Amino acid sequence: MNQARPHMLYVCWGYPPCRGGGVYRALATANRFAEQGWKVTVLTADRETFHRFTGADLTLEERIHPDVEVVRVPFEWPILEADLRNWSKSRAANPKLWAKWRTKRDQIPFPETGYGPWRSTIEKAAEEIHQANKVDLTVATANPHVTFAAAYHLFKKSGVPYVMDYRDAWLLDVFSGDRLHEPNSRAARWERKLVNSAREVWFVNDPILDWHKDLYPEHAGKMHTVANGFDPDLVPSTQDRGPVTDRPLVFGYVGTVSPKVPLADFVKGWQLAKEQSEDLRDAKVKIHGYLGYYAQPRADMLGILNAAAEDGVSYEGPVGKAEIAKAYDEFDVQLLMLGKGRYVTSGKVFEYLATGLPIVSVHDPMNAASDVLRGHPLWFPVKDVENPETIAEALIEAARAARTADEGIRAKAREFGASYRRDLQMDPRIQALAERVGAVV
C-alpha cells in the first residue's frame, strides 16, 4: 500500500489556457484530485498551441490548483498552419493533394486525424514522469482520443491502472446517433483494446453510457456516468434578484456557438416573440462566447447576429471564465441553445442550473440535456426547434416568469440546481479509485 500521497497522471490535450469547452472538466478534474489529497501531474500541450489555434483564456491558468504540476509538451498542427511562409513547396504547389497526404500520414501512429502523431510525444513524456515519480493511476480524457494511448502505454509497460474519461464518444456521433467507425476499423479495434484494459470508463450522461454498455456488455460494470456539473467558484451568485418589473429583460447565452446550434431559427423565433409580447418589446439578447470552434468568428454566424441588431440581438464576444459571473449578472433569462442529438448534454446546462434563473431550451426535446432539466420549475423547453412559432412561445413564457415568479419558485429552482455541483458528481469515483489502487488519502 502506498502510504504517501497517491500520484495521478492526468493526460489531456485541452488544458488552461485553452479556451475549448472541455477545458473546464479537465481543470476541475485535476484540481479535485489535488483537493482530495492526491499528487497530480497534468500532461498537456504547450501554451503556443492554444494561442495559435483555439484561442486562449489566460484567466483559467490562475485557477489551476497550486499543488498541480503541469508538464507541457510540443504539439504540431500542420493542417491549420496559415502562414504560407511555413508551407513546404509541395503543399504550396498543390494544397488539396498535400492535405489528403497529411490526413493519411496523421493516422499512421494512431487513427485520429490531426492528433495521431502526438502519440509518441505523450507516451515518452508519460514514461519519463513515471520514472521520476511513480504514477499510481492515469486518467486520460478525450477528445482527442490519442490521450488514451499514453495511458495504455504506461499500463502495458509498468502496470499503471488507468481511467478513460470521455467528454463525448469515439465511435458514436452524439448528434445523429450514427456509428462513426465500422466494427473492424482501427479506431474500433483500439477502443476495444483500451476498454478491455481500463480500470474505469467515464461518460458525461446516461444515454452515452447506455450505448457503450450495449456495445461492451462484458465491461458494463466498469462504466460510470460522471456528469460535468458546475464549479461553485466559477458561477454567478445564486442570490435571487427577484422579479423584473421596471426595466427591459435581458436574455443571455454563454458558450461556444457551434455550427450545430440552431442560431438562425432562434433569431426568427426571437423576432416573432418581440412582436407578440409586451414583456419582450424592449428586451435584449446578449451572446457571449466564440462563434465556431476557432478564435476567428465564423462569418455566417456573425452575419445572422448582426442582421438582428435592430431586434436587440448583440454579439458580445468571448468572456473569460473568471469574469463569467459578471455576464450572468446581466441576465434575467438564460438561453440554452444546442445542436440536435439524443446524446447531447453540454457542460453549460449545469452552469445555468446554478443560477436559479429561468432557462429556455432552444434544442431538440430529445436531447440528453432535457433529462437533466426535467423537473426544474423555471424551465421552458421549445417543443419544435425548427418551428420559430414554438421558439417564440417558450421565450414569451420565460419572459412572463422572469417578471412574475415568486420567491418560493425561485428558491426551488436554486435548490434543484445545487444538486449538480461538480464535486458531488466526481467525489464518489475519486474515493473508489483511491480504494482500488490501495492508496491512502
Side-chain angles (χ1 to χ4, degrees):
M1 179 177 291
N2 183 5
Q3 295 298 327
R5 286 192 304 164
H7 185 194
M8 189 271 279
L9 172 63
Y10 189 70
V11 188
C12 63
W13 182 82
Y15 193 71
C18 177
R19 65 90 189 162
V23 71
Y24 307 125
R25 183 178 179 93
L27 173 63
T29 301
N31 281 355
R32 192 58 184 166
F33 270 88
E35 290 163 0
Q36 291 293 304
W38 293 65
K39 173 180 173 55
V40 178
T41 302
V42 173
L43 174 57
T44 186
D46 54 16
R47 290 183 180 86
E48 180 66 14
T49 295
F50 311 121
H51 283 286
R52 293 188 64 196
F53 301 120
T54 67
D57 182 352
L58 299 182
T59 66
L60 282 179
E61 285 194 291
E62 302 170 3
R63 300 281 174 170
I64 297 174
H65 193 283
D67 291 342
V68 172
E69 179 183 359
V70 184
V71 176
R72 301 184 185 273
V73 295
F75 176 82
E76 296 181 359
W77 212 345
I79 199 73
L80 294 184
E81 178 57 69
D83 190 340
L84 300 182
R85 294 172 296 182
N86 295 329
W87 285 23
S88 64
K89 291 183 179 179
S90 60
R91 181 177 187 180
N94 195 327
K96 291 184 178 179
L97 182 62
W98 180 90
K100 290 182 180 179
W101 166 82
R102 182 70 207 193
T103 296
K104 291 181 179 179
R105 178 185 171 184
D106 281 356
Q107 297 188 54
I108 292 173
F110 189 84
E112 194 167 26
T113 301
Y115 302 100
W118 205 40
R119 175 186 172 187
S120 61
T121 301
I122 57 177
E123 285 183 347
K124 180 181 178 182
E127 194 172 330
E128 290 174 349
I129 291 168
H130 180 65
Q131 290 174 348
N133 193 317
K134 179 179 175 295
V135 174
D136 297 293
L137 175 74
T138 304
V139 178
T141 191
N143 54 20
H145 305 93
V146 69
T147 58
F148 295 150
Y152 184 75
H153 176 76
L154 215 52
F155 169 75
K156 294 298 288 185
K157 190 171 182 66
S158 303
V160 179
Y162 64 90
V163 173
M164 299 169 68
D165 179 23
Y166 280 97
R167 285 193 291 109
D168 290 310
W170 192 358
L171 306 185
L172 169 68
D173 185 324
V174 297
F175 291 101
S176 69
D178 296 334
R179 184 174 177 129
L180 292 172
H181 302 279
E182 295 300 318
N184 291 325
S185 65
R186 284 185 66 211
R189 296 199 303 272
W190 257 102
E191 185 176 78
R192 280 197 297 271
K193 177 170 64 175
L194 290 164
V195 170
N196 182 64
S197 298
R199 179 63 58 89
E200 291 191 358
V201 187
W202 296 353
F203 301 99
V204 295
N205 61 44
D206 290 341
I208 298 179
L209 171 75
D210 292 340
W211 190 90
H212 286 85
K213 281 186 174 182
D214 289 341
L215 186 63
Y216 305 109
E218 68 277 22
H219 297 298
K222 66 174 68 170
M223 297 181 178
H224 305 275
T225 294
V226 181
N228 278 315
F230 66 86
D231 305 299
D233 61 329
L234 290 176
V235 297
S237 171
T238 56
Q239 184 67 34
D240 182 52
R241 299 191 297 272
V244 181
T245 59
D246 57 351
R247 59 174 174 77
L249 295 172
V250 177
F251 286 64
Y253 173 93
V254 175
T256 298
V257 183
S258 79
K260 300 283 189 179
V261 168
L263 190 62
D265 292 321
F266 163 73
V267 169
K268 292 177 183 176
W270 173 257
Q271 291 166 334
L272 283 175
K274 285 180 71 70
E275 294 174 0
Q276 298 171 9
S277 172
E278 186 64 34
D279 287 325
L280 289 163
R281 197 71 66 197
D282 297 317
K284 299 178 181 179
V285 171
K286 294 190 175 185
I287 306 294
H288 295 267
Y290 285 82
L291 301 181
Y293 295 116
Y294 304 104
Q296 186 68 25
R298 280 182 57 132
D300 55 343
M301 295 179 179
L302 190 58
I304 291 171
L305 296 178
N306 287 341
E310 292 185 358
D311 298 301
V313 178
S314 64
Y315 174 53
E316 304 294 325
V319 57
K321 191 70 171 177
E323 285 82 40
I324 205 166
K326 296 179 182 178
Y328 279 103
D329 281 342
E330 297 183 342
F331 299 167
D332 302 304
V333 178
Q334 300 166 115
L335 300 169
L336 183 65
M337 296 190 286
L338 303 172
K340 181 179 181 180
R342 175 69 186 97
Y343 303 95
V344 176
T345 301
S346 167
K348 72 174 67 68
V349 64
F350 302 102
E351 196 170 83
Y352 280 21
L353 283 171
T355 69
L357 293 172
I359 300 172
V360 178
S361 277
V362 190
H363 59 74
D364 187 89
M366 293 302 295
N367 279 32
S370 297
D371 298 333
V372 176
L373 289 162
R374 194 167 287 111
H376 188 286
L378 291 174
W379 178 45
F380 303 92
V382 172
K383 298 174 183 176
D384 180 359
V385 77
E386 296 178 358
N387 184 347
E389 287 284 355
T390 64
I391 295 176
E393 290 174 6
L395 292 169
I396 292 170
E397 290 176 5
R400 175 49 44 189
R403 293 204 183 277
T404 62
D406 61 27
E407 170 56 26
I409 293 175
R410 292 170 181 272
K412 289 180 180 178
R414 294 195 300 275
E415 182 180 351
F416 183 94
S419 64
Y420 286 98
R421 236 177 44 216
R422 195 189 296 270
D423 58 330
L424 297 180
Q425 312 301 316
M426 199 173 294
D427 283 0
R429 300 298 352 125
I430 295 177
Q431 183 59 43
L433 287 167
E435 295 171 357
R436 295 192 68 180
V437 302
V440 176
V441 293

